[in-house]
Amino acid sequence: MPVITVPYGNESIDINIPDSNMGDILMPCEMEVESTPEVLVKNALANPVNSKKLSEIATAESSVVIIVSDITRPSPSSTMLPLLFEELKSGGCTEENVTVVCALGLHRQQTEEEIKKILGPLYGKVRFVEHDKENCVKVGTTSRGTPVEIFKEVYESDIIVCTGNIEFHYYAGYSGGAKAILPGVSSNNSVITNHKMMTLEEATTGNIDSPVRQDMEEAAQIFGPDFLLNVVLNSKKEIVQAVAGDIIDAHRKGVDCVDKMYKVEVEPADVVITATDVSKGMNLYQAYKPLDNAKNAVIDGGTILLAAPCREGFGHEIFERWSRQCSCPLETIEKFDSDFEFGAHKAAFIAQLAMKHDLLMYSEMPEKDVQDVFFRPVTDIQQAIDSIITKNPAVRIHFMPHGQSTLPIEK
């Protein structure tokens, strides 16, 4: 009888599944780290995709903005920034002409310690500004009706460099690329209008044609950033690929790398057991992603069992409020459709899953909280699996230990 080890925060839980019930163990196929982060980034900067080198774009007279991710994203800005500054200097651009802008979207501002982490060796040496969603300039409107309103500091700069990391995103398809512009340095109105498209059927993980991403990219092209530097990270947060150049074409090169590593073909099973990585398992708001990924590996009416400590509870005030105020999944979905509120989207997405699947959760959240968000609380994973097998001896069970980064796709 196979023993599988379920990650659970900083710990793990061993459970037994009979051979006759064991389906596939869905694992990513990560690339080997072939060189140092510095070499990978330098190679990307020296070989931009469908673009001149950054040193050929910027001049001594250029004012330059480098857009970086905030602390909620794993983008290794402290590694990328010094190398971007080197590239700019080789084109004659001086440090005095460069401003680093933190892309907050609708997120909070950073603490001083977080700013130090973002800037790394450049802390205290470069001008650093945080995005202000209330101080934006309108430059156009997308074909889907999203106003393109850009942070004034970015709008007034000669050269715009976007940075970030590329990974799966549950309604924009992928992170990185144009997301540095929208939502990164856009107005509240721009972000909300764009994000309302998350309810559309095509707005799914790993879909490059997600209407949310297509709208983001159209907005970016209307504004016209000059250069992109993105990286792809493995599960250890090591850089395995860097891409640079055109904001669309370079991004697609990184997307191909993500797909090769993290898309896994599978035939849906009756049950999927999944878990989060340590950083995403602290609250349910962050632990949603493996749940969303797991839905592709389970049949309609099947069971998803999520193991996530969630010691911080819901992890988002609006998400918690919506989870507590609706008595059934359909009520949540209908309310969200008529009253969009960012943060409530995860309550609505979990409600959609609960309409199609039996959701179980092993966590440290109070049982009432787990039930409020349409899960059945589990106090013992082994007992829960044994009970499922007793009810259906022919049940087939997939295991997806790295739920955060594994995207099952149907064969």
Side-chain angles (χ1 to χ4, degrees), residues 313-324:
F314 288 90
H316 193 285
E317 182 181 346
I318 296 173
F319 172 44
E320 180 173 357
R321 171 163 51 81
W322 275 68
S323 297
R324 294 190 189 282

Side-chain angles (χ1 to χ4, degrees), residues 181-194:
I181 301 296
L182 175 62
V185 291
S186 294
S187 70
N188 185 78
N189 190 24
S190 296
V191 177
I192 294 299
T193 305
N194 170 266

Side-chain angles (χ1 to χ4, degrees), residues 168-180:
F168 291 128
H169 190 278
Y170 62 99
Y171 57 83
Y174 299 84
S175 67
K179 278 184 105 270

Side-chain angles (χ1 to χ4, degrees), residues 261-291:
M261 290 201 297
Y262 297 119
K263 281 187 175 179
V264 180
E265 286 192 343
V266 65
E267 290 184 5
D270 306 287
V271 178
V272 177
I273 302 169
T274 190
T276 68
D277 63 26
V278 174
S279 65
K280 299 296 185 183
M282 296 306 295
N283 60 66
L284 186 54
Y285 192 80
Q286 294 295 336
Y288 168 76
K289 190 173 179 181
L291 183 73

Side-chain angles (χ1 to χ4, degrees), residues 26-296:
L26 308 177
M27 297 285 287
C29 182
E30 295 191 328
M31 292 171 55
E32 294 292 329
V33 179
E34 295 181 350
S35 192
T36 66
E38 291 77 14
V39 168
L40 290 171
V41 172
K42 283 183 177 181
N43 285 343
L45 292 173
N47 299 281
V49 178
N50 195 19
S51 169
K52 293 179 179 179
K53 295 179 183 179
L54 184 57
S55 58
E56 297 169 339
I57 297 173
T59 68
E61 292 75 35
S62 303
S63 61
V64 180
V65 156
I66 302 175
I67 301 173
V68 297
S69 301
D70 70 4
I71 205 68
T72 66
R73 303 294 182 252
S75 180
S77 299
S78 60
T79 298
M80 293 188 284
L81 282 171
L83 300 173
L84 282 169
F85 270 79
E86 281 184 22
E87 180 72 10
L88 287 166
K89 284 179 183 177
S90 69
C93 186
T94 62
E95 282 187 3
E96 291 74 26
N97 287 354
V98 183
T99 299
V100 177
V101 173
C102 187
L104 298 179
L106 303 185
H107 298 172
R108 63 164 176 82
Q109 290 194 325
Q110 312 299 277
T111 66
E112 201 62 30
E113 283 304 309
E114 289 168 342
I115 294 172
K116 287 180 182 178
K117 186 174 181 180
I118 291 168
L119 293 178
L122 295 181
Y123 177 76
K125 299 178 181 178
V126 298
R127 183 166 179 262
F128 180 83
V129 176
E130 295 198 81
H131 164 52
D132 179 358
K133 64 181 182 291
E134 305 301 331
N135 184 19
C136 294
V137 177
K138 185 168 183 178
V139 298
T141 305
T142 71
S143 60
R144 292 176 171 86
T146 299
V148 184
E149 297 171 348
I150 305 298
F151 179 36
K152 189 176 180 182
E153 182 88 33
V154 176
Y155 171 79
E156 292 180 344
S157 185
D158 297 327
I159 306 295
I160 313 299
V161 181
C162 298
T163 71
N165 71 292
I166 305 173
E167 59 186 353
F168 291 128
H169 190 278
Y170 62 99
Y171 57 83
Y174 299 84
S175 67
K179 278 184 105 270
I181 301 296
L182 175 62
V185 291
S186 294
S187 70
N188 185 78
N189 190 24
S190 296
V191 177
I192 294 299
T193 305
N194 170 266
H195 282 19
K196 282 183 178 180
M197 299 177 206
M198 67 171 67
T199 60
L200 298 176
E201 186 177 350
E202 300 85 0
T204 57
T205 306
N207 179 18
I208 199 64
D209 293 320
S210 163
V212 178
R213 168 152 290 281
Q214 294 296 305
D215 190 59
M216 290 172 174
E217 293 183 343
E218 185 181 349
Q221 288 174 311
I222 288 171
F223 173 57
D226 300 275
F227 198 80
L228 177 77
L229 174 62
N230 276 178
V231 296
V232 177
L233 307 175
N234 63 16
S235 57
K236 297 178 182 178
K237 307 307 178 190
E238 299 167 324
I239 298 175
V240 294
Q241 186 183 59
V243 293
D246 180 79
I247 194 165
I248 306 296
D249 296 340
H251 180 258
R252 294 299 188 269
K253 183 178 178 182
V255 163
D256 288 343
C257 176
V258 171
D259 285 352
K260 289 173 183 175
M261 290 201 297
Y262 297 119
K263 281 187 175 179
V264 180
E265 286 192 343
V266 65
E267 290 184 5
D270 306 287
V271 178
V272 177
I273 302 169
T274 190
T276 68
D277 63 26
V278 174
S279 65
K280 299 296 185 183
M282 296 306 295
N283 60 66
L284 186 54
Y285 192 80
Q286 294 295 336
Y288 168 76
K289 190 173 179 181
L291 183 73
D292 186 71
N293 288 346
K295 71 184 181 186
N296 297 336

